[in-house]
Amino acid sequence: MQKSKIKIVVGNWKMYPRTFAEAEAIVGKLKGLTKKIRRVKIVVCPPTLFIASVGAVIRSASITVGAQNAFVFDEGAYTGETSPAALKSSGATHLIVGHSERRALGEDDRFVARKIVAGAKSGLTVILCVGETTRDDAGAYFTEVGSELRASLSGFPKSLIKRLVIAYEPIWAIGASALRAAEPEDFREMSVFIRRNLVDMLGKRAGLTVPVLYGGSVDERNAGGFLNEGGADGLLVGRASLDPKKFSAIISAAADCS
Ligand code: PGA
């Protein structure tokens, strides 16, 4: 199966850190530590308010900034929402959509589906997160991920597949309370399943070319396994992306197999 050659490593900072000074320090160190790294697409997704300023600190061809959320319209009377067009204009290149932590706040597949289309139409590369809540012996989690993927992509036009990335993030593997990370083999079989669904929905080209990332308790020790044995096109990293040393080690692992 053809894979995207350049790996993508995305840091999801969630609602950390509290201040721009801290964000600046993290990204400044990361910039230094990744200076020599080639052939990896590095995306840092800080809290929305820091996107423009973090982007200004980075100013580097190999690191870009992304957003963790956006609304479904580019402008309008929607108090407190963030427009995909404004994100693009602030320097964002990527947009995470449908993260399980947002779904837990009430976002359903229909809303996620609208967000993906709006983000991609505004010129952002959208990273659609999918993943099951728990694993069972009978394999019902495939049905869960399949229906989430299909519902979230309903309405996504084929013409925008270049702006689509999928991140498989099993919910049981995310965050400080996670049981553990998944195994590379868990990722491999799920990515084959995801690609089969992409072919059905968006055609053969989508199935072959849309990058499929792994996310959930990725650290500097397990990153290589997901990329090599798991065949991941990249990684979506939470906690470890706030530690420049750990994050740059993960990025190096991606560079080694690009
Ligand atoms: P984690 O988060 O790496 O801290 O498990 C991943 C994510 O939520 O995207």
Side-chain angles (χ1 to χ4, degrees):
M1 186 170 284
Q2 187 192 334
K3 287 191 292 179
S4 62
K5 289 189 195 98
I6 296 204
K7 304 286 181 193
I8 307 166
V9 180
V10 184
N12 174 13
W13 286 10
K14 311 193 178 185
M15 208 172 70
Y16 303 101
R18 292 183 192 200
T19 64
F20 173 62
E22 290 168 273
E24 192 178 22
I26 295 169
V27 89
K29 281 188 198 145
L30 184 68
K31 195 177 164 184
L33 289 167
T34 54
K35 215 183 286 168
K36 294 204 177 108
I37 293 180
R38 300 282 174 274
R39 297 184 53 72
V40 179
K41 176 98 206 102
I42 308 166
V43 185
V44 170
C45 302
T48 309
L49 278 173
F50 299 153
I51 287 175
S53 39
V54 163
V57 174
I58 294 169
R59 280 210 196 292
S60 145
S62 56
I63 309 180
T64 63
V65 277
Q68 302 168 22
N69 183 34
F71 196 52
V72 296
F73 297 118
D74 276 340
E75 61 181 4
Y78 301 102
T79 303
E81 292 294 346
T82 306
S83 123
L87 288 170
K88 175 86 180 154
S89 155
S90 303
T93 56
H94 288 65
L95 170 65
I96 298 172
V97 181
H99 191 281
S100 59
E101 286 158 11
R102 292 218 56 85
R103 292 182 190 262
L105 290 172
E107 282 189 19
D108 61 10
D109 290 334
R110 282 177 60 191
F111 199 33
V112 169
R114 293 175 68 197
K115 288 190 173 196
I116 309 176
V117 176
K121 279 192 174 159
S122 298
L124 299 164
T125 297
V126 287
I127 304 167
L128 168 64
C129 302
V130 293
E132 76 278 5
T133 317
T134 51
R135 284 216 159 191
D136 59 307
D137 293 339
Y141 54 91
F142 280 107
T143 317
E144 191 181 340
V145 173
S147 60
E148 190 176 42
L149 185 75
R150 284 171 173 270
S152 303
L153 285 177
S154 63
F156 193 86
K158 269 190 195 178
S159 58
L160 292 176
I161 59 166
K162 274 198 179 148
R163 300 215 186 110
L164 179 64
V165 172
I166 308 290
Y168 169 56
E169 294 208 306
I171 296 169
W172 49 267
I174 295 176
S177 59
L179 300 174
R180 57 173 178 88
E183 296 297 328
E185 188 50 36
D186 296 333
F187 173 79
R188 182 173 279 284
E189 59 175 13
M190 188 56 85
S191 69
V192 170
F193 175 77
I194 287 172
R195 289 195 184 286
R196 232 185 279 139
N197 277 275
L198 288 173
V199 171
D200 280 356
M201 293 193 75
L202 296 167
K204 201 169 165 195
R205 204 172 128 233
L208 295 175
T209 60
V210 170
V212 183
L213 319 184
Y214 170 74
S217 296
V218 173
D219 61 24
E220 68 287 9
R221 292 179 300 273
N222 62 23
F226 288 109
L227 296 161
N228 293 305
E229 292 112 67
D233 296 313
L235 301 163
L236 178 51
V237 187
R239 282 157 294 159
S241 69
L242 286 151
D243 179 327
K245 270 200 185 143
K246 288 185 184 172
F247 195 43
S248 61
I250 293 167
I251 295 163
S252 295
D256 289 345
C257 60
S258 275

